[in-house]
mmCIF file of all heavy atoms in Angstrom:
data_model
loop_
_atom_site.group_PDB
_atom_site.id
_atom_site.type_symbol
_atom_site.label_atom_id
_atom_site.label_comp_id
_atom_site.label_asym_id
_atom_site.label_seq_id
_atom_site.Cartn_x
_atom_site.Cartn_y
_atom_site.Cartn_z
ATOM 1 N N ARG A 1244 -174.208 -119.977 143.538
ATOM 2 C CA ARG A 1244 -175.458 -120.434 144.158
ATOM 3 C C ARG A 1244 -176.643 -119.856 143.392
ATOM 4 O O ARG A 1244 -177.238 -118.866 143.796
ATOM 5 C CB ARG A 1244 -175.516 -120.008 145.625
ATOM 6 C CG ARG A 1244 -174.475 -120.672 146.514
ATOM 7 C CD ARG A 1244 -174.615 -120.250 147.979
ATOM 8 N NE ARG A 1244 -174.350 -118.828 148.170
ATOM 9 C CZ ARG A 1244 -175.275 -117.924 148.455
ATOM 10 N NH1 ARG A 1244 -176.548 -118.272 148.573
ATOM 11 N NH2 ARG A 1244 -174.953 -116.652 148.620
ATOM 12 N N LEU A 1245 -177.025 -120.510 142.311
ATOM 13 C CA LEU A 1245 -178.072 -119.936 141.475
ATOM 14 C C LEU A 1245 -179.454 -120.498 141.795
ATOM 15 O O LEU A 1245 -180.459 -119.842 141.561
ATOM 16 C CB LEU A 1245 -177.753 -120.166 139.997
ATOM 17 C CG LEU A 1245 -178.438 -119.211 139.036
ATOM 18 C CD1 LEU A 1245 -178.079 -117.761 139.339
ATOM 19 C CD2 LEU A 1245 -178.076 -119.546 137.597
ATOM 20 N N GLY A 1246 -179.519 -121.704 142.326
ATOM 21 C CA GLY A 1246 -180.811 -122.299 142.622
ATOM 22 C C GLY A 1246 -181.391 -123.026 141.424
ATOM 23 O O GLY A 1246 -180.806 -123.044 140.338
ATOM 24 N N PRO A 1247 -182.590 -123.643 141.594
ATOM 25 C CA PRO A 1247 -183.162 -124.483 140.540
ATOM 26 C C PRO A 1247 -183.922 -123.687 139.486
ATOM 27 O O PRO A 1247 -184.297 -122.535 139.687
ATOM 28 C CB PRO A 1247 -184.122 -125.390 141.323
ATOM 29 C CG PRO A 1247 -184.583 -124.513 142.461
ATOM 30 C CD PRO A 1247 -183.394 -123.659 142.827
ATOM 31 N N GLY A 1248 -184.159 -124.348 138.339
ATOM 32 C CA GLY A 1248 -185.045 -123.799 137.322
ATOM 33 C C GLY A 1248 -184.474 -122.655 136.510
ATOM 34 O O GLY A 1248 -183.289 -122.326 136.584
ATOM 35 N N VAL A 1249 -185.309 -122.045 135.691
ATOM 36 C CA VAL A 1249 -185.051 -120.869 134.855
ATOM 37 C C VAL A 1249 -183.856 -121.093 133.914
ATOM 38 O O VAL A 1249 -182.764 -120.545 134.115
ATOM 39 C CB VAL A 1249 -184.822 -119.599 135.701
ATOM 40 C CG1 VAL A 1249 -184.974 -118.356 134.822
ATOM 41 C CG2 VAL A 1249 -185.726 -119.531 136.913
ATOM 42 N N PRO A 1250 -184.030 -121.893 132.866
ATOM 43 C CA PRO A 1250 -182.925 -122.166 131.942
ATOM 44 C C PRO A 1250 -182.253 -120.916 131.384
ATOM 45 O O PRO A 1250 -181.029 -120.888 131.198
ATOM 46 C CB PRO A 1250 -183.597 -122.990 130.831
ATOM 47 C CG PRO A 1250 -184.745 -123.659 131.511
ATOM 48 C CD PRO A 1250 -185.248 -122.658 132.514
ATOM 49 N N SER A 1251 -183.042 -119.866 131.121
ATOM 50 C CA SER A 1251 -182.446 -118.653 130.559
ATOM 51 C C SER A 1251 -181.420 -118.041 131.511
ATOM 52 O O SER A 1251 -180.327 -117.622 131.092
ATOM 53 C CB SER A 1251 -183.540 -117.626 130.239
ATOM 54 O OG SER A 1251 -184.277 -117.298 131.415
ATOM 55 N N LEU A 1252 -181.759 -117.995 132.796
ATOM 56 C CA LEU A 1252 -180.835 -117.447 133.785
ATOM 57 C C LEU A 1252 -179.631 -118.360 133.970
ATOM 58 O O LEU A 1252 -178.499 -117.877 134.139
ATOM 59 C CB LEU A 1252 -181.556 -117.234 135.122
ATOM 60 C CG LEU A 1252 -180.712 -116.677 136.273
ATOM 61 C CD1 LEU A 1252 -180.105 -115.329 135.904
ATOM 62 C CD2 LEU A 1252 -181.564 -116.556 137.544
ATOM 63 N N GLN A 1253 -179.857 -119.654 133.926
ATOM 64 C CA GLN A 1253 -178.734 -120.601 134.063
ATOM 65 C C GLN A 1253 -177.731 -120.396 132.936
ATOM 66 O O GLN A 1253 -176.515 -120.318 133.171
ATOM 67 C CB GLN A 1253 -179.246 -122.050 134.051
ATOM 68 C CG GLN A 1253 -180.255 -122.411 135.133
ATOM 69 C CD GLN A 1253 -179.653 -122.506 136.523
ATOM 70 O OE1 GLN A 1253 -178.441 -122.388 136.718
ATOM 71 N NE2 GLN A 1253 -180.508 -122.712 137.518
ATOM 72 N N TRP A 1254 -178.228 -120.268 131.703
ATOM 73 C CA TRP A 1254 -177.316 -120.109 130.570
ATOM 74 C C TRP A 1254 -176.634 -118.735 130.572
ATOM 75 O O TRP A 1254 -175.451 -118.628 130.236
ATOM 76 C CB TRP A 1254 -178.049 -120.339 129.252
ATOM 77 C CG TRP A 1254 -178.051 -121.785 128.858
ATOM 78 C CD1 TRP A 1254 -179.117 -122.627 128.780
ATOM 79 C CD2 TRP A 1254 -176.895 -122.569 128.527
ATOM 80 N NE1 TRP A 1254 -178.710 -123.879 128.416
ATOM 81 C CE2 TRP A 1254 -177.355 -123.880 128.248
ATOM 82 C CE3 TRP A 1254 -175.532 -122.302 128.442
ATOM 83 C CZ2 TRP A 1254 -176.492 -124.909 127.886
ATOM 84 C CZ3 TRP A 1254 -174.672 -123.324 128.083
ATOM 85 C CH2 TRP A 1254 -175.139 -124.609 127.816
ATOM 86 N N GLU A 1255 -177.373 -117.709 130.967
ATOM 87 C CA GLU A 1255 -176.753 -116.385 131.055
ATOM 88 C C GLU A 1255 -175.600 -116.412 132.044
ATOM 89 O O GLU A 1255 -174.527 -115.831 131.796
ATOM 90 C CB GLU A 1255 -177.814 -115.360 131.481
ATOM 91 C CG GLU A 1255 -177.328 -113.912 131.500
ATOM 92 C CD GLU A 1255 -176.595 -113.519 132.775
ATOM 93 O OE1 GLU A 1255 -176.950 -114.057 133.853
ATOM 94 O OE2 GLU A 1255 -175.647 -112.695 132.701
ATOM 95 N N THR A 1256 -175.798 -117.130 133.157
ATOM 96 C CA THR A 1256 -174.754 -117.212 134.180
ATOM 97 C C THR A 1256 -173.588 -118.068 133.707
ATOM 98 O O THR A 1256 -172.419 -117.752 133.963
ATOM 99 C CB THR A 1256 -175.343 -117.779 135.486
ATOM 100 O OG1 THR A 1256 -176.485 -117.004 135.865
ATOM 101 C CG2 THR A 1256 -174.318 -117.751 136.604
ATOM 102 N N ILE A 1257 -173.888 -119.166 133.025
ATOM 103 C CA ILE A 1257 -172.819 -120.010 132.476
ATOM 104 C C ILE A 1257 -171.949 -119.201 131.518
ATOM 105 O O ILE A 1257 -170.709 -119.255 131.572
ATOM 106 C CB ILE A 1257 -173.413 -121.241 131.759
ATOM 107 C CG1 ILE A 1257 -174.004 -122.220 132.778
ATOM 108 C CG2 ILE A 1257 -172.349 -121.950 130.908
ATOM 109 C CD1 ILE A 1257 -174.813 -123.348 132.157
ATOM 110 N N GLN A 1258 -172.585 -118.440 130.655
ATOM 111 C CA GLN A 1258 -171.830 -117.667 129.669
ATOM 112 C C GLN A 1258 -171.043 -116.523 130.309
ATOM 113 O O GLN A 1258 -169.981 -116.145 129.815
ATOM 114 C CB GLN A 1258 -172.789 -117.148 128.597
ATOM 115 C CG GLN A 1258 -173.378 -118.269 127.744
ATOM 116 C CD GLN A 1258 -174.481 -117.796 126.828
ATOM 117 O OE1 GLN A 1258 -175.302 -116.960 127.200
ATOM 118 N NE2 GLN A 1258 -174.524 -118.322 125.605
ATOM 119 N N ARG A 1259 -171.555 -116.028 131.421
ATOM 120 C CA ARG A 1259 -170.897 -114.879 132.066
ATOM 121 C C ARG A 1259 -169.798 -115.315 133.037
ATOM 122 O O ARG A 1259 -168.704 -114.732 133.047
ATOM 123 C CB ARG A 1259 -171.956 -114.049 132.811
ATOM 124 C CG ARG A 1259 -171.424 -112.816 133.531
ATOM 125 C CD ARG A 1259 -172.557 -111.886 133.918
ATOM 126 N NE ARG A 1259 -173.639 -112.586 134.598
ATOM 127 C CZ ARG A 1259 -173.680 -112.799 135.922
ATOM 128 N NH1 ARG A 1259 -172.704 -112.364 136.691
ATOM 129 N NH2 ARG A 1259 -174.707 -113.428 136.465
ATOM 130 N N LEU A 1260 -170.067 -116.334 133.869
ATOM 131 C CA LEU A 1260 -169.122 -116.726 134.926
ATOM 132 C C LEU A 1260 -168.318 -117.973 134.588
ATOM 133 O O LEU A 1260 -167.372 -118.312 135.273
ATOM 134 C CB LEU A 1260 -169.873 -116.933 136.245
ATOM 135 C CG LEU A 1260 -170.574 -115.683 136.800
ATOM 136 C CD1 LEU A 1260 -171.278 -116.008 138.112
ATOM 137 C CD2 LEU A 1260 -169.577 -114.547 136.992
ATOM 138 N N LYS A 1261 -168.705 -118.681 133.550
ATOM 139 C CA LYS A 1261 -167.949 -119.818 133.006
ATOM 140 C C LYS A 1261 -167.636 -120.913 134.044
ATOM 141 O O LYS A 1261 -166.472 -121.250 134.282
ATOM 142 C CB LYS A 1261 -166.666 -119.329 132.337
ATOM 143 C CG LYS A 1261 -166.951 -118.455 131.119
ATOM 144 C CD LYS A 1261 -165.702 -118.003 130.424
ATOM 145 C CE LYS A 1261 -166.022 -117.334 129.089
ATOM 146 N NZ LYS A 1261 -167.178 -116.426 129.088
ATOM 147 N N PRO A 1262 -168.667 -121.486 134.657
ATOM 148 C CA PRO A 1262 -168.430 -122.631 135.549
ATOM 149 C C PRO A 1262 -167.933 -123.829 134.754
ATOM 150 O O PRO A 1262 -168.259 -123.996 133.571
ATOM 151 C CB PRO A 1262 -169.823 -122.906 136.128
ATOM 152 C CG PRO A 1262 -170.763 -122.415 135.077
ATOM 153 C CD PRO A 1262 -170.094 -121.191 134.497
ATOM 154 N N THR A 1263 -167.145 -124.664 135.434
ATOM 155 C CA THR A 1263 -166.651 -125.888 134.795
ATOM 156 C C THR A 1263 -167.547 -127.080 135.087
ATOM 157 O O THR A 1263 -167.443 -128.115 134.425
ATOM 158 C CB THR A 1263 -165.230 -126.212 135.282
ATOM 159 O OG1 THR A 1263 -165.248 -126.331 136.714
ATOM 160 C CG2 THR A 1263 -164.254 -125.120 134.886
ATOM 161 N N ALA A 1264 -168.396 -126.950 136.107
ATOM 162 C CA ALA A 1264 -169.232 -128.081 136.529
ATOM 163 C C ALA A 1264 -170.569 -127.560 137.035
ATOM 164 O O ALA A 1264 -170.684 -126.404 137.466
ATOM 165 C CB ALA A 1264 -168.530 -128.889 137.625
ATOM 166 N N ILE A 1265 -171.573 -128.434 136.978
ATOM 167 C CA ILE A 1265 -172.883 -128.082 137.514
ATOM 168 C C ILE A 1265 -173.376 -129.212 138.416
ATOM 169 O O ILE A 1265 -172.987 -130.370 138.257
ATOM 170 C CB ILE A 1265 -173.911 -127.793 136.400
ATOM 171 C CG1 ILE A 1265 -174.016 -128.957 135.412
ATOM 172 C CG2 ILE A 1265 -173.563 -126.523 135.666
ATOM 173 C CD1 ILE A 1265 -174.973 -128.702 134.269
ATOM 174 N N VAL A 1266 -174.223 -128.860 139.367
ATOM 175 C CA VAL A 1266 -174.894 -129.836 140.222
ATOM 176 C C VAL A 1266 -176.389 -129.645 139.995
ATOM 177 O O VAL A 1266 -176.921 -128.565 140.234
ATOM 178 C CB VAL A 1266 -174.550 -129.624 141.711
ATOM 179 C CG1 VAL A 1266 -175.242 -130.676 142.574
ATOM 180 C CG2 VAL A 1266 -173.036 -129.664 141.930
ATOM 181 N N ALA A 1267 -177.068 -130.695 139.487
ATOM 182 C CA ALA A 1267 -178.455 -130.517 139.077
ATOM 183 C C ALA A 1267 -179.179 -131.847 139.002
ATOM 184 O O ALA A 1267 -178.560 -132.919 138.908
ATOM 185 C CB ALA A 1267 -178.524 -129.820 137.714
ATOM 186 N N VAL A 1268 -180.498 -131.782 139.027
ATOM 187 C CA VAL A 1268 -181.341 -132.930 138.695
ATOM 188 C C VAL A 1268 -181.176 -133.211 137.202
ATOM 189 O O VAL A 1268 -181.307 -132.289 136.387
ATOM 190 C CB VAL A 1268 -182.817 -132.623 139.036
ATOM 191 C CG1 VAL A 1268 -183.722 -133.775 138.610
ATOM 192 C CG2 VAL A 1268 -182.979 -132.331 140.522
ATOM 193 N N PRO A 1269 -180.877 -134.435 136.803
ATOM 194 C CA PRO A 1269 -180.545 -134.690 135.394
ATOM 195 C C PRO A 1269 -181.663 -134.349 134.411
ATOM 196 O O PRO A 1269 -181.376 -133.923 133.287
ATOM 197 C CB PRO A 1269 -180.200 -136.185 135.360
ATOM 198 C CG PRO A 1269 -180.616 -136.740 136.671
ATOM 199 C CD PRO A 1269 -180.622 -135.619 137.640
ATOM 200 N N SER A 1270 -182.936 -134.509 134.794
ATOM 201 C CA SER A 1270 -184.007 -134.144 133.856
ATOM 202 C C SER A 1270 -183.984 -132.651 133.553
ATOM 203 O O SER A 1270 -184.425 -132.224 132.471
ATOM 204 C CB SER A 1270 -185.378 -134.553 134.402
ATOM 205 O OG SER A 1270 -185.629 -133.949 135.660
ATOM 206 N N PHE A 1271 -183.446 -131.842 134.478
ATOM 207 C CA PHE A 1271 -183.323 -130.414 134.195
ATOM 208 C C PHE A 1271 -182.251 -130.149 133.145
ATOM 209 O O PHE A 1271 -182.322 -129.169 132.402
ATOM 210 C CB PHE A 1271 -183.020 -129.627 135.472
ATOM 211 C CG PHE A 1271 -182.947 -128.135 135.260
ATOM 212 C CD1 PHE A 1271 -184.076 -127.419 134.892
ATOM 213 C CD2 PHE A 1271 -181.746 -127.458 135.388
ATOM 214 C CE1 PHE A 1271 -184.019 -126.054 134.669
ATOM 215 C CE2 PHE A 1271 -181.674 -126.088 135.172
ATOM 216 C CZ PHE A 1271 -182.812 -125.388 134.812
ATOM 217 N N LEU A 1272 -181.256 -131.038 133.066
ATOM 218 C CA LEU A 1272 -180.238 -130.881 132.035
ATOM 219 C C LEU A 1272 -180.856 -130.955 130.643
ATOM 220 O O LEU A 1272 -180.389 -130.284 129.704
ATOM 221 C CB LEU A 1272 -179.146 -131.942 132.189
ATOM 222 C CG LEU A 1272 -178.345 -131.927 133.496
ATOM 223 C CD1 LEU A 1272 -177.237 -132.974 133.447
ATOM 224 C CD2 LEU A 1272 -177.773 -130.548 133.781
ATOM 225 N N LEU A 1273 -181.901 -131.776 130.505
ATOM 226 C CA LEU A 1273 -182.593 -131.837 129.212
ATOM 227 C C LEU A 1273 -183.225 -130.494 128.866
ATOM 228 O O LEU A 1273 -183.251 -130.089 127.698
ATOM 229 C CB LEU A 1273 -183.664 -132.927 129.232
ATOM 230 C CG LEU A 1273 -183.175 -134.380 129.301
ATOM 231 C CD1 LEU A 1273 -184.363 -135.333 129.296
ATOM 232 C CD2 LEU A 1273 -182.227 -134.694 128.153
ATOM 233 N N LYS A 1274 -183.725 -129.785 129.868
ATOM 234 C CA LYS A 1274 -184.311 -128.470 129.628
ATOM 235 C C LYS A 1274 -183.230 -127.453 129.263
ATOM 236 O O LYS A 1274 -183.457 -126.571 128.424
ATOM 237 C CB LYS A 1274 -185.103 -128.022 130.857
ATOM 238 C CG LYS A 1274 -186.301 -128.923 131.130
ATOM 239 C CD LYS A 1274 -187.126 -128.467 132.320
ATOM 240 C CE LYS A 1274 -188.318 -129.384 132.507
ATOM 241 N NZ LYS A 1274 -189.165 -129.002 133.657
ATOM 242 N N LEU A 1275 -182.048 -127.586 129.867
ATOM 243 C CA LEU A 1275 -180.927 -126.736 129.483
ATOM 244 C C LEU A 1275 -180.521 -127.003 128.037
ATOM 245 O O LEU A 1275 -180.214 -126.073 127.274
ATOM 246 C CB LEU A 1275 -179.728 -126.982 130.396
ATOM 247 C CG LEU A 1275 -179.797 -126.487 131.839
ATOM 248 C CD1 LEU A 1275 -178.494 -126.822 132.550
ATOM 249 C CD2 LEU A 1275 -180.057 -124.984 131.901
ATOM 250 N N ILE A 1276 -180.523 -128.284 127.659
ATOM 251 C CA ILE A 1276 -180.162 -128.660 126.290
ATOM 252 C C ILE A 1276 -181.173 -128.094 125.297
ATOM 253 O O ILE A 1276 -180.801 -127.528 124.263
ATOM 254 C CB ILE A 1276 -180.071 -130.199 126.169
ATOM 255 C CG1 ILE A 1276 -178.838 -130.714 126.951
ATOM 256 C CG2 ILE A 1276 -179.998 -130.640 124.713
ATOM 257 C CD1 ILE A 1276 -178.812 -132.217 127.139
ATOM 258 N N GLN A 1277 -182.459 -128.228 125.627
ATOM 259 C CA GLN A 1277 -183.499 -127.724 124.736
ATOM 260 C C GLN A 1277 -183.408 -126.210 124.581
ATOM 261 O O GLN A 1277 -183.536 -125.672 123.473
ATOM 262 C CB GLN A 1277 -184.884 -128.116 125.269
ATOM 263 C CG GLN A 1277 -186.025 -127.761 124.321
ATOM 264 C CD GLN A 1277 -185.908 -128.470 122.987
ATOM 265 O OE1 GLN A 1277 -185.758 -129.692 122.939
ATOM 266 N NE2 GLN A 1277 -185.938 -127.711 121.884
ATOM 267 N N TYR A 1278 -183.162 -125.517 125.705
ATOM 268 C CA TYR A 1278 -183.033 -124.056 125.645
ATOM 269 C C TYR A 1278 -181.832 -123.672 124.767
ATOM 270 O O TYR A 1278 -181.913 -122.738 123.961
ATOM 271 C CB TYR A 1278 -182.872 -123.479 127.045
ATOM 272 C CG TYR A 1278 -182.812 -121.961 127.064
ATOM 273 C CD1 TYR A 1278 -183.975 -121.209 127.208
ATOM 274 C CD2 TYR A 1278 -181.596 -121.287 126.901
ATOM 275 C CE1 TYR A 1278 -183.932 -119.818 127.196
ATOM 276 C CE2 TYR A 1278 -181.546 -119.906 126.886
ATOM 277 C CZ TYR A 1278 -182.704 -119.179 127.042
ATOM 278 O OH TYR A 1278 -182.660 -117.806 127.024
ATOM 279 N N ALA A 1279 -180.739 -124.400 124.932
ATOM 280 C CA ALA A 1279 -179.554 -124.102 124.121
ATOM 281 C C ALA A 1279 -179.842 -124.283 122.632
ATOM 282 O O ALA A 1279 -179.449 -123.451 121.800
ATOM 283 C CB ALA A 1279 -178.394 -125.006 124.551
ATOM 284 N N HIS A 1280 -180.543 -125.370 122.295
ATOM 285 C CA HIS A 1280 -180.883 -125.602 120.889
ATOM 286 C C HIS A 1280 -181.798 -124.504 120.353
ATOM 287 O O HIS A 1280 -181.606 -124.012 119.235
ATOM 288 C CB HIS A 1280 -181.556 -126.969 120.740
ATOM 289 C CG HIS A 1280 -180.606 -128.120 120.898
ATOM 290 N ND1 HIS A 1280 -181.008 -129.419 121.070
ATOM 291 C CD2 HIS A 1280 -179.241 -128.146 120.918
ATOM 292 C CE1 HIS A 1280 -179.954 -130.206 121.171
ATOM 293 N NE2 HIS A 1280 -178.863 -129.452 121.087
ATOM 294 N N ASP A 1281 -182.770 -124.118 121.167
ATOM 295 C CA ASP A 1281 -183.739 -123.103 120.719
ATOM 296 C C ASP A 1281 -183.107 -121.728 120.567
ATOM 297 O O ASP A 1281 -183.624 -120.890 119.816
ATOM 298 C CB ASP A 1281 -184.903 -123.013 121.717
ATOM 299 C CG ASP A 1281 -185.776 -124.261 121.722
ATOM 300 O OD1 ASP A 1281 -185.669 -125.060 120.774
ATOM 301 O OD2 ASP A 1281 -186.557 -124.441 122.680
ATOM 302 N N HIS A 1282 -182.005 -121.477 121.276
ATOM 303 C CA HIS A 1282 -181.403 -120.140 121.261
ATOM 304 C C HIS A 1282 -179.983 -120.159 120.660
ATOM 305 O O HIS A 1282 -179.180 -119.260 120.899
ATOM 306 C CB HIS A 1282 -181.365 -119.566 122.683
ATOM 307 C CG HIS A 1282 -182.734 -119.274 123.234
ATOM 308 N ND1 HIS A 1282 -183.532 -120.260 123.775
ATOM 309 C CD2 HIS A 1282 -183.454 -118.120 123.280
ATOM 310 C CE1 HIS A 1282 -184.682 -119.710 124.166
ATOM 311 N NE2 HIS A 1282 -184.663 -118.435 123.860
ATOM 312 N N HIS A 1283 -179.707 -121.230 119.897
ATOM 313 C CA HIS A 1283 -178.469 -121.318 119.107
ATOM 314 C C HIS A 1283 -177.225 -121.193 119.982
ATOM 315 O O HIS A 1283 -176.245 -120.535 119.617
ATOM 316 C CB HIS A 1283 -178.471 -120.240 118.008
ATOM 317 C CG HIS A 1283 -179.734 -120.220 117.211
ATOM 318 N ND1 HIS A 1283 -180.108 -121.250 116.365
ATOM 319 C CD2 HIS A 1283 -180.744 -119.299 117.154
ATOM 320 C CE1 HIS A 1283 -181.268 -120.968 115.815
ATOM 321 N NE2 HIS A 1283 -181.688 -119.796 116.264
ATOM 322 N N ILE A 1284 -177.271 -121.838 121.147
ATOM 323 C CA ILE A 1284 -176.096 -121.897 122.027
ATOM 324 C C ILE A 1284 -175.368 -123.203 121.740
ATOM 325 O O ILE A 1284 -175.977 -124.284 121.766
ATOM 326 C CB ILE A 1284 -176.509 -121.843 123.512
ATOM 327 C CG1 ILE A 1284 -177.179 -120.499 123.833
ATOM 328 C CG2 ILE A 1284 -175.304 -122.070 124.428
ATOM 329 C CD1 ILE A 1284 -177.816 -120.451 125.220
ATOM 330 N N ASP A 1285 -174.085 -123.120 121.446
ATOM 331 C CA ASP A 1285 -173.287 -124.323 121.183
ATOM 332 C C ASP A 1285 -172.904 -124.957 122.510
ATOM 333 O O ASP A 1285 -172.028 -124.461 123.224
ATOM 334 C CB ASP A 1285 -172.038 -123.953 120.381
ATOM 335 C CG ASP A 1285 -171.266 -125.185 119.899
ATOM 336 O OD1 ASP A 1285 -171.446 -126.273 120.491
ATOM 337 O OD2 ASP A 1285 -170.473 -125.056 118.949
ATOM 338 N N LEU A 1286 -173.582 -126.064 122.838
ATOM 339 C CA LEU A 1286 -173.357 -126.727 124.124
ATOM 340 C C LEU A 1286 -171.891 -127.076 124.345
ATOM 341 O O LEU A 1286 -171.337 -126.863 125.433
ATOM 342 C CB LEU A 1286 -174.196 -128.016 124.189
ATOM 343 C CG LEU A 1286 -175.709 -127.854 124.304
ATOM 344 C CD1 LEU A 1286 -176.405 -129.140 123.874
ATOM 345 C CD2 LEU A 1286 -176.078 -127.515 125.735
ATOM 346 N N ASN A 1287 -171.267 -127.608 123.323
ATOM 347 C CA ASN A 1287 -169.918 -128.128 123.488
ATOM 348 C C ASN A 1287 -168.836 -127.050 123.437
ATOM 349 O O ASN A 1287 -167.654 -127.347 123.623
ATOM 350 C CB ASN A 1287 -169.645 -129.216 122.447
ATOM 351 C CG ASN A 1287 -170.557 -130.413 122.665
ATOM 352 O OD1 ASN A 1287 -170.822 -130.795 123.801
ATOM 353 N ND2 ASN A 1287 -171.050 -130.984 121.579
ATOM 354 N N GLN A 1288 -169.259 -125.811 123.208
ATOM 355 C CA GLN A 1288 -168.318 -124.704 123.329
ATOM 356 C C GLN A 1288 -168.456 -123.999 124.674
ATOM 357 O O GLN A 1288 -167.740 -123.035 124.951
ATOM 358 C CB GLN A 1288 -168.555 -123.697 122.199
ATOM 359 C CG GLN A 1288 -168.152 -124.212 120.823
ATOM 360 C CD GLN A 1288 -166.675 -124.582 120.745
ATOM 361 O OE1 GLN A 1288 -165.809 -123.815 121.156
ATOM 362 N NE2 GLN A 1288 -166.394 -125.780 120.239
ATOM 363 N N SER A 1289 -169.371 -124.486 125.515
ATOM 364 C CA SER A 1289 -169.542 -123.873 126.840
ATOM 365 C C SER A 1289 -168.405 -124.299 127.761
ATOM 366 O O SER A 1289 -167.663 -125.248 127.474
ATOM 367 C CB SER A 1289 -170.881 -124.268 127.455
ATOM 368 O OG SER A 1289 -170.823 -125.571 128.006
ATOM 369 N N SER A 1290 -168.293 -123.630 128.883
ATOM 370 C CA SER A 1290 -167.242 -123.935 129.858
ATOM 371 C C SER A 1290 -167.533 -125.195 130.652
ATOM 372 O O SER A 1290 -166.636 -125.770 131.283
ATOM 373 C CB SER A 1290 -167.092 -122.752 130.832
ATOM 374 O OG SER A 1290 -168.332 -122.497 131.487
ATOM 375 N N VAL A 1291 -168.788 -125.671 130.649
ATOM 376 C CA VAL A 1291 -169.211 -126.800 131.493
ATOM 377 C C VAL A 1291 -168.737 -128.114 130.898
ATOM 378 O O VAL A 1291 -169.052 -128.447 129.754
ATOM 379 C CB VAL A 1291 -170.745 -126.817 131.654
ATOM 380 C CG1 VAL A 1291 -171.174 -128.015 132.501
ATOM 381 C CG2 VAL A 1291 -171.233 -125.528 132.287
#
């Protein structure tokens, strides 16, 4: 139960707890993608 917003916290949690799925507003997924690109996170190597 992480709540909305804060891409940095979302990615830190994904990398730490390794969820397989997310529930989100799709436009926020674009912000997650942008954050991943800006911080050299390989999207397709994530657990999601």
Side-chain angles (χ1 to χ4, degrees):
R1244 294 182 295 109
L1245 202 58
V1249 197
S1251 59
L1252 179 59
Q1253 302 288 355
W1254 272 113
E1255 185 277 327
T1256 306
I1257 289 170
Q1258 293 171 321
R1259 180 165 49 87
L1260 298 180
K1261 295 182 170 42
T1263 57
I1265 55 182
V1266 181
V1268 176
S1270 58
F1271 183 66
L1272 298 184
L1273 292 181
K1274 296 182 178 180
L1275 289 181
I1276 290 168
Q1277 186 61 52
Y1278 183 91
H1280 288 167
D1281 292 345
H1282 293 81
H1283 310 293
I1284 296 171
D1285 188 339
L1286 290 160
N1287 296 321
Q1288 290 300 311
S1289 79
S1290 58
V1291 178

